[in-house]
């Protein structure tokens, strides 16, 4: 039987030849092949047919079974095999290096050093290409850090304040003109283009200090520009792992929100609304001309720090899956066994799901919900985006609802989740009628098994980005 491992078999053939004292030419003459072809066999560069192995075994005064089942290889042979295998991996091919032939002049120390370097590279790429489970664990830690600090980052607030002060901002909504002034203050110019790669929202040319935006969405590009500028201000580079990637996104998004809804004006505005018992995310959104999601998330930054109100925030897809979540009011989000929230299904009796079933999808919807951790008040609004509709929700404990507009709602529901009997188990009649007569085909998330790409930011086509920059770089005189 011919073994599949051509490298090992080739080394055993060579070892037997050397044991018999045969030169490469003598052995070649015995089997009627050119020395170059014998070298290819001994170096494991092609598989042997059974008839070829039998001819070789006869020439070496042994049997094919003996060659295939010989004992351990010498240390040198084993090292050479490991070295050759390492050069045949996708990782080695991606480095663009030539294959290093194994000769007698190649020392053991050189091969061992190369293997050590390749091993370190493999470990690095294995870490970067870890499964999404690593990302979820990193996100779990990040959410715990946010909870501990009340989702308030003082150093980023100061950074936003300094940028606004530098361009003479006073109060009110931060206009696109103000954003442009911030860019110019940092040395950047903004450019609308029609050929921005599909996988990107913006591209920053740090050499010529340019930020490229899609011409089709330039009128709503404040956040996109500020996120690009935030990465520069915070000195962000390509993330090294999932934890770094998530931390960067949190910080750049936070700084963007802190510029669009400045603490210096937003905090007094919210305090005045609380004093009137008229806190409203919709009113907050309207005052600064931002999306409901941006206003809700920014409210979660400031509520505990300036209003002493613990809150929770949810972004939920119309399918019921959690996309973003934050809490410091002890509400019990749905979680997996490790405590991860993102991707879990929200109870259908929560405001985040109920808003999809009412005729109040235009405007805000509020309700009280009796949950295992207590009674909570929550307000939700639906926004549309890529992939469907999403509910944006902000909630707090019953005792804090008195400060919010919408506290007078008469809607009050009960949720026993995570108890399966709450909303996750169908009625017995339906199970009896359809339990064994149905087989749904699940819509698989395309990123379910995706790993963190190497050499590029997640989800971005690096080739398209670099080609884009090349197109927009004038030729040197």
């Amino acid at each position: 039987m011919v073994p599949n491992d051509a490298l090992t078999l080739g080394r055993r053939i060579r070892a037997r030849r050397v044991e018999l004292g045969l030169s490469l030419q003598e052995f070649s003459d015995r089997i009627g092949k050119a020395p170059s072809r014998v070298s290819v066999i001994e170096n494991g560069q092609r598989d042997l047919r059974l008839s070829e192995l039998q001819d070789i075994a006869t020439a070496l005064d042994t049997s094919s079974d003996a060659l295939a089942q010989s004992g351990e290889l010498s240390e040198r042979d084993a090292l050479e095999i490991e070295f050759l295998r390492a050069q045949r991996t996708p990782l080695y091919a991606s480095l663009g290096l030539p294959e290093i032939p194994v000769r007698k002049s190649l020392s053991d120390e050189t091969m061992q050093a190369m293997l050590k370097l390749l091993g370190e590279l493999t470990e690095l790429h294995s870490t970067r290409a870890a499964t999404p489970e690593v990302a979820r664990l990193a996100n779990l830690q990040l959410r715990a850090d946010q909870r501990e600090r009340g989702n308030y980052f003082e150093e980023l607030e100061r950074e936003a304040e300094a940028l606004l002060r530098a361009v003479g901002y006073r109060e009110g909504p931060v206009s696109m003109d103000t954003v442009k002034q911030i860019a110019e203050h940092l040395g950047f110019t903004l450019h609308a283009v029609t050929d921005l790669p599909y996988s990107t929202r913006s591209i920053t040319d740090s050499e010529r200090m340019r930020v490229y935006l899609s011409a089709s969405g330039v009128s709503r590009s404040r956040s996109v520009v500020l996120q690009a500028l935030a990465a520069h201000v915070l000195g962000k580079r390509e993330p090294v792992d999932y934890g770094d990637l998530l931390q960067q996104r949190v910080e750049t998004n936070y700084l963007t929100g802190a510029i669009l809804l400045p603490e210096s004006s937003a905090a007094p505005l919210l305090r005045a609304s609380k004093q009137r018992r008229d806190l409203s995310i919709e009113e907050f959104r309207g005052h600064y001309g931002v999306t409901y999601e941006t206003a809700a998330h920014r409210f979660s930054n400031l509520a505990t720090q300036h209003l002493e109100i613990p809150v929770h925030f949810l972004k939920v897809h119309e399918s019921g899956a959690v996309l973003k979540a934050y809490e410091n009011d002890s509400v019990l989000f749905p979680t997996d066994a490790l405590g991860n929230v993102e991707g879990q299904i929200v109870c259908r009796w929560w405001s985040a799901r109920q808003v999809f079933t009412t005729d109040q999808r235009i405007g805000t919807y509020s309700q009280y919900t009796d949950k295992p951790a207590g009674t909570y008040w929550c307000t939700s609004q639906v926004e549309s985006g890529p992939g469907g509709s999403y509910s944006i929700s902000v909630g707090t404990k019953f005792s804090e609802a008195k400060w919010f507009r919408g506290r007078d709602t008469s809607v009050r529901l009960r949720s026993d989740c995570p108890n399966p009997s709450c909303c996750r188990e169908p009625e017995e009649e339906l199970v009896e009628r359809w339990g064994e007569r149905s087989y749904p085909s699940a819509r698989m998330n395309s990123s379910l098994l995706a790993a963190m790409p190497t050499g590029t930011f997640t989800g971005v086509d690096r080739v398209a980005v670099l080609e884009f920059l090349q197109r927009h770089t004038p030729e040197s005189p």
Side-chain angles (χ1 to χ4, degrees), residues 9-84:
L9 181 58
R11 283 306 181 276
R12 286 174 174 162
I13 291 172
R14 187 178 70 179
R16 177 61 179 168
R17 172 176 67 79
V18 172
E19 180 184 347
L20 294 176
L22 295 175
S23 68
L24 188 63
Q25 183 64 58
E26 290 171 333
F27 179 48
S28 301
D29 292 341
R30 284 195 180 189
I31 61 175
K33 295 182 182 296
S36 60
R37 295 187 65 185
V38 174
S39 291
V40 166
I41 293 172
E42 291 189 347
N43 288 325
Q45 294 175 329
R46 79 174 183 83
D47 292 323
L48 290 173
R49 297 190 298 273
L50 182 57
S51 60
E52 289 179 302
L53 180 59
Q54 289 171 340
D55 290 342
I56 289 172
T58 299
L60 295 174
D61 298 326
T62 185
S63 67
S64 56
D65 287 341
L67 284 177
Q69 299 172 10
S70 294
E72 293 295 323
L73 295 169
S74 69
E75 290 186 11
R76 172 71 184 194
D77 283 338
L79 181 59
E80 288 181 1
I81 289 174
E82 185 180 3
F83 186 69
L84 288 169

Side-chain angles (χ1 to χ4, degrees), residues 4-5 164 251 261 278 291 311 384:
N4 292 324
D5 190 347
L164 289 167
E251 292 182 4
L261 298 89
D278 193 33
T291 64
V311 295
S384 296

Side-chain angles (χ1 to χ4, degrees), residues 353-362 364-365 367 411:
R353 295 282 299 280
Q354 285 294 303
V355 66
F356 290 111
T357 68
T358 72
D359 56 3
Q360 297 184 41
R361 290 182 60 161
I362 300 176
T364 55
Y365 167 82
Q367 76 171 53
V411 180

Side-chain angles (χ1 to χ4, degrees), residues 263-467:
E263 183 181 31
S264 59
S265 61
L269 179 71
L270 292 175
R271 282 195 292 266
S273 296
K274 180 185 178 185
Q275 205 166 29
R276 297 193 307 270
R277 299 189 176 222
D278 193 33
L279 285 170
S280 165
I281 307 300
E282 174 61 24
E283 200 72 25
F284 192 41
R285 181 206 67 78
H287 187 84
Y288 289 99
V290 295
T291 64
Y292 192 85
E293 179 181 353
T294 297
H297 195 270
R298 184 64 176 142
F299 181 82
S300 75
N301 299 150
L302 303 173
T304 304
Q305 178 72 18
H306 291 281
L307 307 177
E308 298 181 338
I309 299 176
V311 295
H312 65 265
F313 165 90
L314 276 172
K315 180 178 182 179
V316 175
H317 187 258
E318 59 188 323
S319 64
V322 177
L323 300 178
K324 296 181 183 177
Y326 162 77
E327 63 81 19
N328 70 344
D329 60 359
S330 300
V331 71
L332 296 179
F333 287 145
T335 67
D336 63 14
L338 297 178
N340 298 292
V341 175
E342 284 73 15
Q344 302 301 304
I345 303 299
V346 171
C347 176
R348 67 177 57 203
W349 307 121
W350 284 27
S351 171
R353 295 282 299 280
Q354 285 294 303
V355 66
F356 290 111
T357 68
T358 72
D359 56 3
Q360 297 184 41
R361 290 182 60 161
I362 300 176
T364 55
Y365 167 82
S366 301
Q367 76 171 53
Y368 291 97
T369 311
D370 297 320
K371 304 176 182 178
T375 299
Y376 288 79
W377 174 87
C378 195
T379 184
S380 303
Q381 189 169 120
V382 173
E383 289 190 335
S384 296
S389 296
Y390 308 84
S391 68
I392 309 298
S393 305
V394 172
T396 188
K397 295 180 178 180
F398 179 87
S399 59
E400 303 294 341
K402 59 188 177 184
W403 309 115
F404 289 84
R405 184 184 302 179
R407 63 184 177 276
D408 56 351
T409 179
S410 61
V411 180
R412 185 163 182 167
L413 302 176
R414 179 183 180 84
S415 168
D416 292 323
C417 281
N419 188 330
S421 65
C422 176
C423 65
R424 300 176 188 275
E425 294 179 346
E427 296 179 2
E428 291 184 7
E429 293 81 359
L430 293 178
V431 174
E432 184 176 346
R433 174 68 179 85
W434 297 107
E436 297 181 1
R437 299 178 179 86
S438 62
Y439 183 82
S441 178
R443 184 190 298 274
M444 285 284 283
N445 187 328
S446 61
S447 63
L448 181 64
L449 301 178
M452 185 173 179
T454 58
T456 179
F457 287 93
T458 298
V460 170
D461 182 343
R462 186 165 178 76
V463 174
V465 169
L466 299 186
E467 290 177 344

Side-chain angles (χ1 to χ4, degrees), residues 104-133:
K104 290 182 179 180
S105 58
L106 186 63
S107 70
D108 291 4
E109 290 75 18
T110 299
M111 287 190 286
Q112 289 165 349
M114 287 287 293
L115 287 170
K116 177 68 174 176
L117 288 172
L118 288 172
E120 292 296 323
L121 277 174
T122 301
E123 180 65 25
L124 174 63
H125 282 258
S126 295
T127 300
R128 289 177 58 89
T131 62
E133 187 60 33

